[in-house]
């Protein structure tokens, strides 16, 4: 039987048949004849369905109110702003109402980078007005990550007006305040300064930040597309800071600063500090430090200039510590002012160590031990006492404790427990070596002699009423020490340079080697602490000169600074003279002083 013949129709023959009008089946295309897995069509159908579900869910999320708050915030970000309205910081004045720090109007210049439209010429002009590098300004204005950027804070009002006159789209300004310090470097270490956010960073500005700062307010504004405010509403009213009246007398502060600067320039010293205390109230009338800085121009500040040496630096007080060893002996009944002490041959050996006087004095009364500043005499008197008795006297005078001034950085100094003292240490501590104090501690301790034996807390704030005192020595001991300290500035004492025409003066010099890396070096700290007038003390003045060149004795370097400050301050305060008016000379009798 003959089989039927099967003809194969290729694509070319199919096309030929089509061209002749013959009908060709759709499934004759070989691509369509390929069998595909059934799961692929089901997968595609599922993916399409999932996409439609996601779009429907998103539409429901946006239209159904689920994200209303978010969308509202996004919309408001385009037309609404909440502006922080700074409070006016409180003024700082001296005791007589002289302004030492105040806030003046300024502008914060800011921009919305995406809105900025400026020509290269406008960018150059803006950079000059803002004292910025043009490249840095362009970088800020092309920042795509932020819709707000500060260009410069605390811009002077006149400069801000010139910036506004450029009419650069997207660049705006808002009001703020800038701190101004009329007295500049003179009071810098007392007042301190604020940062660009107007927050205290040093001094009184930092110590009384909460009282001075107040509370900022906020205002909600709505702007049109041109950036113009069309509606505003207060969210919180600003609450201005309180004014602060200091105990500082601006006149006395200037006197202390000028006298200190003259001495530092004369002796090419590294640094110096001076403190003036009102004996009656414990108020600080002046607190001067050099080197200093201008708080109005703080572009190149360094720690050496900022440091408030009178409070933060410690020194070995040297001979200014001797009166307190004598006080301990007088209070214990071991000596009287006229008790004689043998200081010959000017040296004293304790164990394997020897201490000595700069000059041999021989037999001295206790008064002369203080007046002539004998190390040997002071050490012999101190060694007659229990170590704890000396320690108690020093502690009662405030040594080893930070002064309660409410001022940042005030240090406690170093006074080791008495139980750890060896005899040689007890001897050296009695004349101011092996112990460290700040100048403010030393000045306060001397108020006990000026106040007839009691002490009051120190303060940098003006007091309406004098505080009560705490007795640290008897009235008789304080009066006896007052006479000895007056002898120390007499013709036979170590500090005739501290004498003042018309006023009786009492005080003590100090000259100490500096301690570096645990070793004493031939670098000196010259100091003087005293008070006047002796008949009715009104002020205590302490002076420290760090590393003077040439002369280095306290009686030569620091005592004349004390005299300048004290004389000018007493006249400023209109304190009546209590001494002879003859002119005084200051021969170099300070060479008698012990190191």
């Amino acid at each position: 039987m003959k089989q039927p013949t099967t003809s194969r129709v290729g694509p070319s023959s199919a096309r030929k048949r089509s061209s002749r009008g013959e009908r060709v089946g759709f499934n004759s295309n070989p691509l369509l004849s390929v069998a595909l897995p059934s799961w692929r069509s089901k997968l595609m159908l599922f993916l399409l369905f999932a996409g439609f579900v996601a779009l429907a869910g998103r539409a429901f999320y946006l239209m159904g109110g689920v994200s209303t708050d978010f969308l509202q915030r996004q919309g408001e970000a385009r037309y609404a702003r909440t502006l922080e309205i700074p409070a006016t910081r409180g003024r700082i004045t001296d005791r007589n109402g002289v302004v030492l720090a105040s806030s003046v109007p300024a502008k914060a210049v800011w921009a919305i980078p995406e809105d900025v439209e400026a020509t290269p010429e406008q960018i150059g002009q803006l950079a000059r007005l803002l004292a910025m590098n043009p490249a840095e300004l362009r970088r800020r204005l092309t920042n795509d990550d932020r819709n707000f950027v500060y260009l410069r804070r605390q811009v002077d009002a006149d400069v801000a007006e010139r910036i506004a006159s450029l009419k650069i789209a997207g660049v705006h300004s808002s009001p703020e305040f800038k701190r101004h310090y009329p007295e500049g470097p003179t009071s810098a270490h007392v007042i301190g300064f604020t940062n660009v956010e107007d927050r205290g960073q040093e001094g009184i500005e930092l110590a009384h930040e909460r009282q001075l700062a107040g509370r900022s307010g906020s205002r909600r504004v709505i702007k049109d597309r041109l950036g113009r405010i069309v509606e505003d509403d207060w969210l919180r009213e600003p609450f201005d800071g309180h004014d602060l009246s200091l105990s500082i007398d601006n006149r006395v502060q200037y006197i202390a600063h000028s006298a200190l600067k003259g001495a530092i320039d004369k002796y090419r010293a590294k640094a110096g500090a001076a403190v003036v205390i009102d004996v009656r109230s414990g108020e600080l009338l002046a607190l001067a430090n050099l080197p200093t800085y201008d708080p109005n121009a703080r572009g190149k500040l360094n720690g050496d200039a900022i440091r408030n040496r009178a409070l933060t630096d410690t020194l070995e007080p040297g001979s200014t510590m001797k009166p307190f060893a004598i006080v301990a002996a007088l209070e214990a009944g071991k000596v009287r002012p006229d008790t004689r002490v043998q200081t010959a041959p000017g040296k004293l050996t304790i164990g394997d160590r020897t201490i000595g006087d700069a000059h041999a004095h021989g037999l001295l009364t206790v008064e002369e031990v203080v007046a002539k500043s004998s190390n040997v005499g002071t050490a012999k008197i101190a060694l007659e006492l229990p170590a704890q008795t000396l320690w108690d006297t020093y502690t009662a005078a405030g040594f080893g404790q930070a002064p309660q001034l409410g001022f940042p950085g005030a240090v406690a100094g170093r006074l080791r427990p008495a139980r750890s003292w060896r005899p040689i240490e007890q001897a050296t501590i009695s004349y101011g070596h092996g112990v460290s104090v700040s100048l403010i501690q030393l000045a306060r301790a001397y108020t006990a002699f000026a106040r007839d034996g009691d002490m009051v807390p120190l303060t940098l704030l003006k007091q309406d009423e004098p505080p009560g005192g705490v007795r640290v020595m008897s009235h008789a001991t304080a009066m006896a020490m007052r006479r000895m300290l007056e002898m120390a500035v007499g013709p036979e004492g170590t500090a005739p340079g501290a004498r003042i025409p018309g006023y009786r003066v009492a005080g003590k010099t100090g000259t100490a080697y500096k301690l570096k890396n645990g070793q004493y070096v031939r670098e000196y700290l010259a100091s003087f602490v005293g008070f006047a007038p002796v008949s009715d003390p009104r002020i205590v003045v302490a002076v420290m000169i760090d590393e003077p060149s040439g002369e280095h004795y306290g009686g030569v370097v620091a005592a004349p600074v004390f005299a300048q400050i004290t004389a000018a301050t007493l006249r400023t305060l209109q304190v009546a003279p209590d001494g002879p008016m003859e002119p005084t000379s200051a021969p170099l009798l300070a060479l008698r002083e012990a190191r």
Side-chain angles (χ1 to χ4, degrees), residues 8 12 19 22 82 162 179 232 331 340 360 368 425 532:
R8 296 179 179 273
S12 58
S19 63
E22 298 180 14
T82 298
R162 294 169 63 185
R179 207 63 166 162
D232 68 89
E331 289 285 275
R340 293 185 177 275
E368 291 171 329
E425 291 172 321

Side-chain angles (χ1 to χ4, degrees), residues 449-470:
F449 306 137
R451 287 181 54 89
D452 300 338
D454 73 348
M455 296 172 63
V456 294
L458 299 185
T459 179
L460 273 162
L461 302 180
K462 185 178 180 181
Q463 300 296 300
D464 295 326
E465 296 181 2
V470 176

Side-chain angles (χ1 to χ4, degrees), residues 41 63 76 83 126 131 166 208 213 254 371 449 459 509 535 539 584:
S41 60
M63 299 177 62
E76 288 180 354
L83 301 180
L126 180 60
L166 296 177
H208 296 274
Y254 178 78
F449 306 137
T459 179
T509 56
S535 60
I539 57 172
T584 61

Side-chain angles (χ1 to χ4, degrees), residues 127-161:
R128 284 192 295 273
L129 290 172
L130 295 175
M132 292 179 63
N133 185 296
E136 170 64 16
L137 178 60
R138 291 190 191 94
R139 186 189 67 78
R140 293 194 185 188
L141 292 177
T142 56
N143 192 333
D144 296 330
D145 297 333
R146 289 181 289 180
N147 60 7
F148 176 90
V149 60
Y150 276 118
L151 301 180
R152 178 74 70 188
R153 303 289 302 276
Q154 297 186 347
V155 176
D156 290 339
D158 60 331
V159 176
E161 289 180 3

Side-chain angles (χ1 to χ4, degrees), residues 83-122:
L83 301 180
E84 191 79 7
I85 308 300
T88 303
R89 193 174 178 87
R91 298 186 310 163
I92 301 175
T93 66
D94 83 336
R95 63 185 305 106
N96 300 311
V98 176
V99 176
L100 302 178
S102 63
S103 294
V104 297
K107 294 281 188 178
V109 179
W110 51 277
I112 302 175
E114 62 184 3
D115 292 346
V116 173
E117 297 177 4
T119 64
E121 182 181 359
Q122 287 177 314

Side-chain angles (χ1 to χ4, degrees), residues 466-484:
V470 176
R471 184 155 297 281
V472 297
M473 66 186 72
S474 67
H475 179 273
T477 297
M479 294 302 293
M481 186 52 61
R482 193 183 296 182
R483 288 191 296 271
M484 296 181 203

Side-chain angles (χ1 to χ4, degrees), residues 516-536:
K516 291 187 176 181
N517 300 320
Q519 299 289 330
Y520 286 104
V521 296
R522 296 193 68 83
E523 295 174 356
Y524 299 92
L525 276 166
S527 59
F528 187 92
V529 189
F531 49 90
V534 170
S535 60
D536 184 16

